[in-house]
Amino acid sequence: MTMTWGDFQAVVQLSAGLNVAILSFVDISLPAIKERRRVFSKARQELEIHRKNPHKQTVTEIAEHKQNVGNIDRQLFDLWRETADFESFEDSLMKSTGVFGIVGAVLSLSLLMYSAFHYDEAVTLTDEALVFLSFLSLGAAFIINFFTASKASRFTKRCNDLREKMRTTL
């Protein structure tokens, strides 16, 4: 028994719907990216407040405080540098998501339209492969955004850990 486009149309509709939804996958990683940037900015502000701390009285306290501020400043700078290296890669990942989304959406919507016009015709192996590719673009976009959000969250956690160290040390 041969499968027709009419029989296969539900799969194509699912592919089209999900691939159009890919474009919203950027929303998966954007909050994590924004939070990472906000936390780094906040850490820098807090460090400046500690740098100007007027509560140290003795020469020893002041010297120890300066040394502790310098240590945290170096750690924050190293973390920022590591994050900055990732940011350019992150931008290219976000663009890739858009490319996967557009390609997948155009492909699946084209297949959906084709299936409507060729409802009673048989589905070929090439047709099935094209539908599979449209689902593959969905998976690729999801994985890219999940990876980006995960990496941004790890940087945010490390920065928050450093902020906590700053609060207890300084």
Side-chain angles (χ1 to χ4, degrees):
M1 180 171 158
T2 320
M3 187 180 331
T4 65
W5 274 103
D7 299 330
F8 200 56
Q9 196 171 43
V11 174
V12 177
Q13 288 172 345
L14 178 62
S15 170
L18 291 175
N19 273 298
V20 169
I22 269 182
L23 300 175
S24 68
F25 277 179
V26 174
D27 293 342
I28 293 172
S29 58
L30 280 181
I33 292 167
K34 287 179 181 178
E35 177 67 8
R36 184 198 71 227
R37 291 177 181 168
R38 185 193 70 76
V39 165
F40 269 88
S41 175
K42 192 75 171 161
R44 181 58 56 200
Q45 290 171 351
E46 290 172 6
L47 186 61
E48 286 308 312
I49 290 169
H50 285 292
R51 189 182 310 277
K52 298 172 184 175
N53 185 351
H55 298 294
K56 303 301 178 187
Q57 302 279 331
T58 67
V59 173
T60 307
E61 286 178 331
I62 292 170
E64 183 181 330
H65 179 72
K66 281 184 178 181
Q67 183 178 7
N68 288 339
V69 167
N71 288 338
I72 300 246
D73 192 23
R74 278 187 292 285
Q75 291 173 16
L76 187 59
F77 178 76
D78 290 343
L79 185 57
W80 171 81
R81 187 174 15 191
E82 189 179 338
T83 303
D85 291 342
F86 178 69
E87 275 188 31
S88 61
F89 181 59
E90 181 180 71
D91 291 340
S92 69
L93 288 176
M94 299 303 289
K95 289 175 187 169
S96 297
T97 300
V99 169
F100 281 122
I102 290 170
V103 168
V106 167
L107 177 61
S108 60
L109 290 173
S110 298
L111 287 167
L112 184 60
M113 197 159 117
Y114 183 84
S115 72
F117 288 123
H118 301 275
Y119 194 83
D120 292 323
E121 293 180 19
V123 175
T124 66
L125 192 56
T126 303
D127 299 333
E128 289 180 21
L130 287 173
V131 172
F132 178 73
L133 281 175
S134 71
F135 276 107
L136 196 60
S137 69
L138 173 73
F142 179 77
I143 289 169
I144 288 170
N145 272 282
F146 184 77
F147 169 76
T148 305
S150 173
K151 190 82 167 175
S153 294
R154 278 182 283 195
F155 282 129
T156 301
K157 183 185 178 335
R158 287 175 56 195
C159 189
N160 278 329
D161 291 345
L162 195 53
R163 287 173 66 199
E164 186 59 36
K165 182 179 177 182
M166 193 184 322
R167 287 184 196 111
T168 58
T169 306
L170 306 176

